[in-house]
Amino acid sequence: SGLVLMSLLLAACSATSGMVWIAFGAAVFRLFSSYRKPLNIAMGLLMLYAAASISGLLPKLMMLLNPTR
């Protein structure tokens, strides 16, 4: 009945989203495979920035880097 229909709908949505994820992942891998090193460096720097921002260390780091304020 309704529960079975919702279960089938959820299964179809999950399968579709998995296939889309795989397709875009393969396309992005082909696109960025020649830029692996610069991309890894950029992503690592963005991850450090995000960690400093989330932890609250970013304002303290900015004050250390620019002590004239």
Side-chain angles (χ1 to χ4, degrees), residues 3-4 6 8 10-12 15 17 23 25-27 29 32 41 44-45 53 63 65:
L3 184 60
V4 173
M6 285 303 294
L8 291 173
L10 182 59
S17 64
F29 179 77
F32 290 130
I41 291 169
L45 290 172
S53 178
M63 196 174 359
L65 294 175

Side-chain angles (χ1 to χ4, degrees), residues 57-69:
L57 290 176
L58 193 59
K60 294 175 185 175
L61 289 174
M62 295 305 287
M63 196 174 359
L64 284 174
L65 294 175
N66 191 4
T68 59
R69 288 186 178 178

